Amino acid sequence: MGTAVSTPAVRRVLAVRGVVQGVGFRPHVARLAGALDLAGTCRNDTAGVRIEVEGPAAAVAAFERRLRAEAPPLARIDAVAAHDVPPCGATGFAIIASADGAGERTLVPPDTAVCADCLAELRDPADRRYRHPFITCTNCGPRLSITVDLPYDRPNTTLAGFAMCAACVAEYADPLDRRYHAQPIGCHDCGPRLWYAEPGGPARPPEPASRAVDGERALQMAVATLAGGGIVAVKGIGGYHLACDASNAAAVTRLRERKHRPDRPLAVLVADLVAAGRVVDLPPGAAAVLDSPQRPIVLLPARPDAPVAEQIAPGLGEHGVLLAYAPVHHLLLADLAAATGRPSVLVLTSGNAAGEPLCHRDEDALERLAGIADGILGHDRPIVVPVEDSVIAWPDPNSSGAAGRHASCAPGGADGGADRGVPVRRSRGYAPLPVMLAPASGVGANTVLAAGAELKNTVALARDGLAFVSGHVGDLASLAAQEAHQQVTDQLLRFHRMAPALLVADRHPGYASLAWARRYAAELGVPVLEVQHHHAHLAALAAEHGRLAEPLLGLVFDGTGYGCDGGVWGGELLLLGEGGSTAQRLGRLGDVRLPGGDEGVRHPIRTAVLALLDAGLDVADHPLVGQLSPAELAVLRRAHDTGLATVPTSSVGRLFDVVAALLGVRHRVTYEAQAAIELEAAARTWRRLAGTASTDAPRLRLPVRTLGELTVLDPVPLVRDLAEHTRAGIPPGRLADAFHAALARAAAELAAGAASSHGVRTVGLTGGVFVNRLLLAQTSRELHDRGLSVLTHRVVPANDGGLALGQVAVGMATLASSTGGPMAGDAGRE
């Protein structure tokens, strides 16, 4: 007989970085080690997961390969650093206690939708978690919203106060169980519970009774309120929503009145893709995004027979739809369908009053939503990080162009996500996954904090070559919103345990974000870098595409941005310098005068009539004049003659206002960008009816002219053409379509001239106007036809929700460069 030959053992230490906490990664490691008969340990630390495995060299090598290849669905491995240490003859494999400490910090996982396995248990009467409103496992559920600190372990979450029962402890300790080391688990006996309160009751949640019975009673009270046409505030994963029956016109109208939201479209919640298909058309690819773990709201073409009230999104021809993602959503929809005898569709809109941040604390909801909701369905699992729903706009199949194929996709992390859709809001499911700015280097030792924009605010922190952009905060006009901004900032800094070396803010002197940055920087004793608004937009686009190292031309179209000359900019052609720390203005939209400042924004009809006067046209018998009061018309004539109380602007957003009013689409607005949104909808509707763009559509003029050192798009011929065509009776939808085509053509001509002069072959499209899918697609096509490559947003929105990314990118580039300021003519650092 031969002598058995033993294989020498090796012991390898692996430090895994990425989204590897809260996603079932340690259980994956333990199961894999067991399958390969390897000994060792794994644990969370503040930087990720540390693994030690010992066994035959071939088995250890197989472990390393399978560690990545078979990672859990929600995990994302960015790096694995490995080194060998002497074997110690260990036996068995164990998950050991987490280690805390200073230094590099891991990535906080985003919240995700309840998985199919948990959903099956939720619906199974034989399962012990049947109808448990907080069912979760290692593959799904709340993460960011419940995380107090890192490492991600139950004591560092808002589940710390819920002691697991014996049955849950057994699942938690079983390597073969789906809930092995799942931090948020619980059940009817030991987990959170639902409660229900009516307005006028105590300003605190009711005390718990029997968890399962009390929670079931709360759910049925909420269903009864919804079935009766009432409005219920529902606490989900990241905060409160306001819900009502989407088919009940009176309920929807009442919600609009109470929330002071007369026109802005409302999102609707459905149970699954079959239900979604009754409300909207589902183009190829859309179903996968709707049903993804991120569960964003997706804007899709409305079905003419959709079972929802017309007040949901009047006149837009599309609905924002999201699939149920919290277990309580599924329970509400199923029980409401049983109560009413028909499939349920709920309005689901942010739980806040107009202009205020999302309610996520129970006491705030009881106080702030009492005048809106008829009942409040809450629960006792605290939310520490409020998280709004993400929004994606789906490309219109009739828009024709390359943008949908090339460079737009769901707003993901560094990998970008699905390859379709225009990001409108990046929040739940995506935030706070980072964007890679550059490989970690010397500048990575510096931490940069960006205050973000004044509207659609997000906050961003950059460190180690990564930019972490928060979820949606909102507009900073109110004190409550500014407090929310501070809270989000504190949470970012706490997660990363770093103090910023530099603060970055928009240079608008009247913005609350700049005032906050100056105060906070003074407290920390660090400088402030003021970055021009459109420079930050273009830098954000370059950052998400990894293009900061080379020059980039950008068409930056939006509503308002404070210019380097103190003027109102918003239709800019910029050249982003190498590295991103500088930008040069090469061109712009010619002046559109804004009467009365912000009043002109709220009343597009006034801006349109002034534009007609400035174009030298007689408005005496123009149809718009009949929609103005005599006082308004007198003020506009005086403004035209004297220039008093007018603000010249290069804003493409204001040009959209002018065109929308001239065509009779929208004269006065109740929410931001309403006129532009409805103008795009009119053009889309025309295209759908016509099948495609009409070959005999009028060709509107928007010529490129030279004005000093800049090239300028002259809007005067456009205004004259539209006035002539409207008098000739050409339908508004046809002219709206022609306007989009004219603007896309002129913008591409403007950019192509600069590309030739500066030797740049790539053009970026950014700024809030490029959330317009029709304009985005047509401008992309026009640029491609001129031999230019095009970049569009795929991670953060083109609107101000992406501005913080650009601010930290400019801040990091400025620290790494010796340039004096971020934009030609800008004061730069204070």
Side-chain angles (χ1 to χ4, degrees):
M1 293 178 66
T3 302
V5 179
S6 62
T7 304
V10 299
R11 188 174 184 89
R12 188 158 298 160
V13 179
L14 301 101
V16 187
R17 305 293 179 256
V19 183
V20 290
Q21 294 187 14
V23 293
F25 194 78
R26 288 177 301 168
H28 157 64
V29 170
R31 284 190 287 267
L32 183 56
L36 294 170
D37 201 23
L38 295 172
T41 62
C42 75
R43 72 182 186 194
N44 281 344
D45 60 26
T46 55
V49 171
R50 178 183 171 88
I51 306 166
E52 294 192 29
V53 286
E54 182 173 334
V60 171
F63 176 88
E64 285 195 79
R65 289 193 303 271
R66 292 173 65 182
L67 184 71
R68 286 180 179 270
E70 300 173 16
L74 299 181
R76 193 187 89 190
I77 298 176
D78 289 343
V80 179
H83 67 276
D84 288 350
V85 296
C88 60
T91 59
F93 193 92
I95 296 175
I96 61 174
S98 299
D100 200 353
E104 186 180 353
R105 305 286 282 174
T106 191
L107 307 185
V108 182
D111 302 298
T112 55
V114 59
C115 68
D117 290 334
C118 285
L119 201 54
E121 294 170 345
L122 183 76
R123 295 166 174 166
D124 181 3
D127 192 274
R128 75 184 193 92
R129 289 188 176 86
Y130 174 59
R131 292 181 63 82
H132 179 48
F134 308 95
I135 191 167
T136 184
C137 70
T138 57
N139 297 324
C140 68
R143 296 294 188 270
L144 171 65
S145 60
I146 61 170
T147 302
V148 177
D149 202 355
L150 297 174
Y152 177 78
D153 291 311
R154 194 177 182 100
N156 287 333
T157 73
T158 58
L159 273 297
F162 296 87
M164 286 186 284
C165 65
C168 286
V169 168
E171 293 171 330
Y172 185 89
D174 182 359
L176 300 180
D177 196 280
R178 199 175 80 254
R179 295 185 173 90
Y180 182 43
H181 276 259
Q183 306 306 325
I185 65 166
C187 66
H188 288 298
D189 294 330
C190 66
R193 68 168 190 105
L194 295 173
W195 52 263
Y196 187 84
E198 295 179 345
R204 49 183 276 176
E207 294 298 323
S210 167
R211 290 188 178 276
V213 174
D214 191 56
E216 192 65 33
R217 183 164 58 246
L219 189 67
Q220 295 314 311
M221 292 174 73
V223 169
T225 301
L226 292 169
I231 299 163
V232 176
V234 180
K235 186 179 181 183
I237 289 178
Y240 277 87
H241 288 96
L242 291 165
C244 71
D245 183 350
S247 67
N248 187 324
V252 176
T253 299
R254 198 156 44 246
L255 174 59
R256 287 195 173 280
E257 291 172 348
R258 293 181 184 177
K259 198 175 177 182
H260 304 293
R261 186 172 174 167
D263 300 307
R264 188 189 293 269
L266 299 166
V268 296
L269 177 78
V270 296
D272 51 32
L273 288 172
V274 173
R278 299 188 190 104
V279 178
V280 292
D281 292 330
L282 294 175
V289 175
L290 268 173
D291 201 29
S292 68
Q294 293 78 19
R295 291 290 203 281
I297 298 169
V298 183
L299 307 183
L300 290 161
R303 291 182 59 88
D305 56 348
V308 299
E310 63 179 1
Q311 292 90 342
I312 296 291
L316 297 185
E318 65 181 7
H319 290 305
V321 178
L322 78 160
L323 268 56
Y325 59 87
V328 70
H329 295 160
H330 287 278
L331 293 172
L332 280 172
L333 288 165
D335 291 1
L336 183 60
T340 61
R342 51 182 167 76
S344 298
V345 183
L346 288 174
V347 168
L348 203 72
T349 188
S350 298
N352 55 6
E356 292 190 352
L358 179 71
C359 283
H360 68 285
R361 297 187 184 93
D362 298 331
E363 292 77 9
D364 286 346
L366 287 163
E367 178 183 349
R368 292 164 49 196
L369 302 181
I372 304 174
D374 299 304
I376 297 176
L377 181 65
H379 58 73
D380 58 355
R381 183 180 68 203
I383 296 169
V384 67
V385 182
V387 187
E388 290 263 23
D389 296 320
S390 295
V391 182
I392 294 172
W394 203 255
D396 192 306
N398 295 309
S399 62
S400 73
R405 294 194 306 272
H406 281 286
S408 319
C409 66
D415 60 355
D419 192 22
R420 290 296 299 270
V422 178
V424 178
R425 180 198 293 164
R426 180 183 185 265
S427 203
R428 181 184 47 76
Y430 303 103
L433 295 179
V435 176
M436 181 75 72
L437 293 178
S441 60
V443 73
N446 291 306
T447 301
V448 175
L449 176 66
E454 195 76 0
L455 304 178
K456 300 180 178 66
N457 180 267
T458 58
V459 181
L461 179 78
R463 52 94 169 158
D464 302 312
L466 298 173
F468 298 84
V469 183
S470 76
H472 176 79
V473 177
D475 300 349
L476 299 184
S478 69
L479 179 60
Q482 292 166 31
E483 291 172 347
H485 176 271
Q486 181 68 62
Q487 179 187 359
V488 168
T489 302
D490 292 343
Q491 288 159 345
L492 265 181
L493 294 173
R494 182 172 66 248
F495 284 154
H496 296 276
R497 290 191 185 169
M498 290 186 174
L502 175 69
L503 265 74
V504 188
D506 192 294
R507 72 188 309 267
H508 193 300
Y511 277 179
S513 56
L514 176 58
W516 173 86
R518 288 173 173 170
R519 289 194 306 271
Y520 198 52
E523 293 175 12
L524 299 175
V526 300
V528 175
L529 180 69
E530 297 178 16
V531 177
Q532 198 277 330
H533 188 86
H534 304 96
H535 180 186
H537 270 306
L538 187 54
L541 179 61
E544 69 170 73
H545 284 278
R547 295 290 296 263
L548 286 166
E550 54 192 292
L552 175 67
L553 271 176
L555 289 164
V556 190
F557 291 176
D558 66 359
T560 298
Y562 187 77
C564 293
D565 57 3
V568 179
W569 292 8
E572 312 307 313
L573 174 65
L574 302 183
L575 178 62
L576 189 69
E578 185 175 328
S581 63
T582 63
Q584 181 184 358
R585 191 188 200 194
L586 303 179
R588 65 178 180 88
L589 177 69
D591 287 346
V592 174
R593 291 203 293 166
L594 193 60
D598 288 345
E599 281 301 301
V601 176
R602 287 187 281 269
H603 301 275
I605 187 172
R606 298 179 184 176
T607 310
V609 170
L610 183 57
L612 289 170
L613 292 168
D614 288 347
L617 299 176
D618 182 6
V619 300
D621 60 345
H622 195 281
L624 286 184
V625 171
Q627 303 299 315
L628 292 171
S629 70
E632 284 180 302
L633 182 58
V635 168
L636 291 172
R637 289 190 182 278
R638 187 162 56 250
H640 167 66
D641 294 336
T642 66
L644 294 176
T646 65
V647 179
T649 172
S650 60
S651 166
V652 173
R654 302 291 73 80
L655 182 63
F656 266 85
D657 289 349
V658 167
V659 175
L662 288 176
L663 301 187
V665 171
R666 172 60 56 178
H667 291 163
R668 306 181 195 272
V669 302
T670 62
Y671 66 90
E672 185 199 7
Q674 181 179 5
I677 290 169
E678 294 181 359
L679 188 67
E680 180 191 5
R684 283 201 315 265
T685 300
W686 174 262
R687 281 176 166 253
R688 273 198 294 273
L689 294 174
T692 184
S694 302
T695 55
D696 61 343
R699 189 177 178 90
L700 304 176
R701 296 173 296 160
L702 188 55
V704 177
R705 307 192 192 282
T706 301
L707 184 63
E709 297 180 353
L710 301 179
T711 49
V712 174
L713 299 181
D714 184 358
V716 171
L718 174 75
V719 171
R720 290 172 178 163
D721 287 350
L722 287 170
E724 177 184 343
H725 291 312
T726 53
R727 286 182 183 276
I730 295 179
R734 183 175 170 191
L735 290 177
D737 183 27
F739 165 68
H740 281 79
L743 180 56
R745 189 168 56 246
E749 183 182 347
L750 182 72
S756 177
S757 300
H758 292 271
V760 178
R761 304 307 303 166
T762 302
V763 180
L765 304 178
T766 186
V769 168
F770 280 114
V771 172
N772 180 319
R773 289 149 284 168
L774 181 56
L775 182 67
L776 183 69
Q778 290 188 322
T779 308
S780 296
R781 185 194 64 213
E782 292 282 354
L783 290 165
H784 280 290
D785 289 348
R786 289 163 172 79
L788 297 169
S789 298
V790 180
L791 295 183
T792 64
H793 282 275
R794 61 191 181 105
V795 178
V796 298
N799 60 38
D800 284 1
L803 204 73
L805 173 60
Q807 290 175 348
V808 293
V810 174
M812 293 292 277
T814 301
L815 288 178
S817 72
S818 58
T819 56
M823 185 159 182
D826 197 351
R829 191 191 304 267
E830 285 202 331

Coordinates of all heavy atoms in Angstrom, one line a residue, residues 9 103 160 275 461 613:
A9 N -1.3 23.2 3.7 CA -2.3 24.2 3.8 C -1.7 25.6 3.7 O -0.5 25.8 4.0 CB -2.9 24.1 5.2
G103 N -10.2 55.0 9.9 CA -9.6 54.7 8.6 C -10.7 54.6 7.5 O -11.8 55.1 7.6
A160 N -32.1 47.8 16.9 CA -31.3 47.5 18.1 C -32.3 47.3 19.3 O -32.0 46.5 20.2 CB -30.3 48.6 18.4
A275 N -50.6 44.6 -13.1 CA -51.4 45.8 -12.8 C -50.8 47.1 -13.4 O -51.6 48.0 -13.8 CB -51.4 46.0 -11.2
L461 N -20.3 63.9 -0.6 CA -19.0 63.9 0.0 C -18.0 63.1 -0.8 O -18.4 62.0 -1.3 CB -19.2 63.2 1.4 CG -17.9 63.0 2.2 CD1 -17.5 64.3 2.9 CD2 -18.1 61.9 3.3
L613 N -43.1 92.0 -27.8 CA -42.8 93.4 -27.9 C -41.3 93.6 -28.3 O -40.9 94.4 -29.1 CB -43.1 94.1 -26.6 CG -44.6 94.2 -26.2 CD1 -44.7 94.7 -24.8 CD2 -45.3 95.2 -27.2

